């Protein structure tokens, strides 16, 4: 059996003395590769030593793909609530009331409705603490649209779900693989509107979120963050665009004043081409394809999409529905497995960070002319 390197996997046997983490898994678009990568991931029974998977989807659809793909029978039980989840098998909560019409490789309204039903139920359970983390299989951003779902994607829906009376949650999309972490200033924004959203305030806000996530979610004490330029050749001192000199550099300087270790702006092509990204803990890209195109070139099989800035942990594989290979037994589960491991690792890191920062000690320092001055840093 293939070994998988992950902090979560490496200490799986230690979980016998720890509370078992419940991982909610949404099935995504059932005409895509969601069920294939979920079922392939769950073939590794060692996952049951690490966590308790709770799939939000359909037992009948799972059985259909298991038979169509000639996969061995993975033991599972149907439950109606995560509190009923068993630790020795996989658990499925049915979110589809009627018989599903499965047409692998096709986008259908029914598949979109089922994807939203799974997401809505899982998020509700997540907010109530019935599951600990959320792992989402890919959705089709078009067929999921309805009166209840009017968002460009998972990220924006989760941000709205996490909003409170005190204000909306601010999400940050981070694509991760090993030590490569790429965050985005703008996400699902048409390229013609990107420059409008590249503001000093927006960049500084994303840098704050990124820096905090690297500390609490990835246990990096003093993260080093590289910032990419918007224009080719980093604007050539204004010749190819004013954003670098008027917006991005001032934003970097502001972040440094806030004690963040931020560097740049770097021209994106050379930055990734010469491997400079390996010198940093995180990379902040200005727009979607600027960051994701090189990321997926480097780490397509193992990449994970993590939504930072939320009060709960959500990860997903870094690929889409894969209609072109749906039902053909050609999809790789590596990204899905990496997303599960990362969700668990991040949850543990957050808990550790919360413990060590819950009651900070008052610090003493010596000021010239005064002795034992007390600073209360709460």
């Amino acid at each position: 059996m293939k070994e998988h390197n992950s902090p979560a996997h490496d200490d799986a046997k230690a979980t016998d003395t720890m509370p078992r983490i419940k991982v909610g898994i949404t099935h995504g678009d059932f005409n895509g590769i969601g069920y294939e990568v979920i079922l392939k991931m769950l073939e590794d029974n060692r996952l049951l030593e690490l966590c308790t998977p709770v799939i939000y989807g359909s037992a009948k659809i799972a059985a259909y793909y298991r038979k169509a793909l000639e996969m061995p029978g993975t033991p599972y039980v149907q439950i109606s609530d995560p509190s009923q989840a068993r630790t020795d098998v996989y658990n499925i909560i049915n979110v589809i009331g009627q018989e599903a019409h499965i047409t692998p490789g096709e986008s259908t309204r029914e598949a979109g409705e089922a994807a939203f039903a799974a997401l809505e139920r899982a998020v509700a359970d997540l907010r109530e603490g019935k599951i600990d983390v959320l792992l989402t299989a890919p959705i089709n951003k078009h067929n999921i649209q309805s009166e209840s779902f009017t968002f460009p994607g998972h990220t924006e829906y989760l941000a709205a779900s996490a909003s409170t009376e005190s204000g909306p949650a601010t999400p940050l999309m981070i694509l991760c693989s090993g030590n490569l972490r790429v965050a985005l200033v703008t996400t699902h924004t048409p390229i013609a509107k990107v420059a409008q959203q590249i503001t000093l305030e927006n960049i500084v806000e994303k840098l704050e979120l990124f820096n905090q996530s690297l500390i609490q979610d990835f246990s990096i004490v003093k993260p080093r963050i590289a910032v990419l330029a918007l224009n080719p050749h980093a604007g050539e001192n204004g010749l190819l665009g004013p954003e670098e000199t008027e917006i991005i550099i001032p934003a970097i300087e502001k972040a440094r004043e806030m004690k963040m270790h931020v560097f740049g702006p770097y021209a994106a092509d050379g930055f990734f081409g010469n491997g400079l990204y390996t010198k940093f803990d995180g990379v902040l890209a200005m727009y979607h394809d600027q960051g994701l195109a090189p990321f997926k070139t480097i780490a397509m099989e193992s990449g994970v999409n993590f939504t930072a800035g939320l009060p709960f942990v959500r990860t997903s594989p870094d690929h889409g529905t894969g209609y072109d290979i749906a039902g053909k037994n050609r999809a790789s589960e590596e990204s899905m497995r990496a997303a599960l491991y990362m969700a668990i690792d991040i949850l543990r890191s957050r808990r550790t960070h919360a413990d060590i920062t819950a009651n900070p000690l008052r610090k003493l320092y010596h000021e010239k002319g005064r002795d034992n001055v007390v600073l209360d840093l709460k």
Side-chain angles (χ1 to χ4, degrees):
M1 183 177 291
K2 184 178 179 180
E3 292 291 336
H4 306 288
N5 296 321
S6 164
H9 176 265
D10 292 343
D11 61 1
K13 293 186 177 181
T15 60
D16 291 340
T17 59
M18 300 171 60
R20 188 64 66 92
I21 294 173
K22 288 184 181 178
V23 180
I25 305 172
T26 57
H27 66 173
D29 188 311
F30 62 65
N31 287 327
I33 61 174
Y35 273 97
E36 181 176 342
V37 296
I38 291 172
L39 292 172
K40 285 182 175 179
M41 175 182 69
L42 298 182
E43 283 186 321
D44 187 347
N45 290 329
R46 292 173 299 176
L47 289 178
L48 293 175
E49 301 174 9
L50 176 65
C51 63
T52 300
V54 178
I55 302 168
Y56 292 81
S58 165
K60 290 185 178 180
I61 297 177
Y64 168 88
Y65 277 103
R66 202 167 56 181
K67 181 178 180 181
L69 300 172
E70 298 181 347
M71 299 177 65
T74 303
Y76 67 85
V77 294
Q78 297 183 49
I79 59 175
S80 59
D81 189 85
S83 62
Q84 303 168 347
R86 288 171 49 180
T87 60
D88 59 332
V89 294
Y90 302 112
N91 305 272
I92 295 182
I93 295 177
N94 283 312
V95 298
I96 302 175
Q98 71 280 5
E99 192 76 20
H101 298 87
I102 307 168
T103 52
E106 295 185 17
S107 172
T108 65
R109 175 59 58 187
E110 184 182 0
E113 292 173 351
F116 176 65
L119 182 61
E120 183 179 40
R121 172 65 189 275
V123 170
D125 287 350
L126 184 65
R127 288 173 59 88
E128 293 180 21
K130 294 183 178 181
I131 55 177
D132 298 302
V133 298
L134 178 63
L135 171 58
T136 59
I139 60 172
N140 179 309
K141 295 178 177 60
H142 175 71
N143 69 26
I144 197 174
Q145 296 297 316
S146 67
E147 292 183 359
S148 300
F149 191 99
T150 57
F151 305 91
H154 275 119
T155 303
E156 294 80 6
Y157 174 78
L158 292 168
S161 300
S163 298
T164 63
E165 293 181 358
S166 60
T170 303
L172 178 67
M173 181 186 290
I174 306 177
L175 276 292
C176 317
S177 178
N179 292 327
L180 175 59
R181 306 172 190 90
V182 179
L184 306 175
V185 175
T186 62
T187 51
H188 301 116
T189 302
I191 196 69
K193 298 180 180 179
V194 166
Q196 301 171 19
Q197 296 187 22
I198 302 301
T199 64
L200 185 147
E201 293 77 17
N202 201 6
I203 295 172
V204 172
E205 179 184 51
K206 295 304 172 64
L207 282 171
E208 286 188 273
L209 289 169
F210 200 9
N211 187 69
Q212 181 61 26
S213 178
L214 291 170
I215 293 171
Q216 75 170 16
D217 299 329
F218 297 94
S219 302
I220 301 171
V221 178
K222 293 182 179 179
R224 290 167 51 87
I225 302 174
V227 178
L228 300 184
L230 174 66
N231 297 299
H233 306 293
E236 291 282 14
N237 294 318
L239 180 65
L240 300 180
E243 286 82 5
E244 283 71 26
T245 56
E246 296 181 2
I247 299 172
I248 299 176
I249 291 176
I252 291 173
E253 293 172 346
K254 177 67 175 178
R256 289 173 178 169
E257 292 174 3
M258 300 167 68
K259 308 302 181 183
M260 287 183 270
H261 300 281
V262 181
F263 306 86
Y266 298 98
D269 54 353
F271 181 83
F272 286 102
N274 62 22
L276 190 56
Y277 65 88
T278 61
K279 308 298 182 183
F280 297 92
D281 300 301
V283 181
L284 184 68
M286 292 296 111
Y287 57 94
H288 188 279
D289 286 12
Q290 183 189 51
L292 269 58
F295 175 88
K296 292 188 177 183
T297 300
I298 296 168
M300 184 65 185
E301 291 295 321
S302 60
V304 176
N305 182 351
F306 164 54
T307 307
L310 302 179
F312 46 75
V313 177
R314 174 260 174 169
T315 62
S316 73
D318 72 343
H319 56 70
T321 54
Y323 285 145
D324 57 325
I325 59 172
K328 299 178 181 179
N329 204 12
R330 290 167 50 190
S332 169
E333 76 278 14
E334 289 301 311
S335 181
M336 195 73 176
R337 181 183 290 110
L340 182 142
Y341 287 152
M342 183 170 290
I344 294 172
D345 289 340
I346 289 173
L347 178 65
R348 290 178 176 175
S349 181
R350 282 193 181 184
R351 288 175 174 175
T352 300
H353 183 266
D355 287 342
I356 65 178
T357 59
N359 296 295
L361 295 173
R362 293 188 300 172
K363 295 185 178 181
L364 301 178
Y365 78 99
H366 179 75
E367 182 178 317
K368 188 175 181 180
R370 300 174 64 190
D371 292 325
N372 295 329
V373 176
V374 178
L375 280 181
D376 192 340
L377 299 183
K378 291 184 180 180

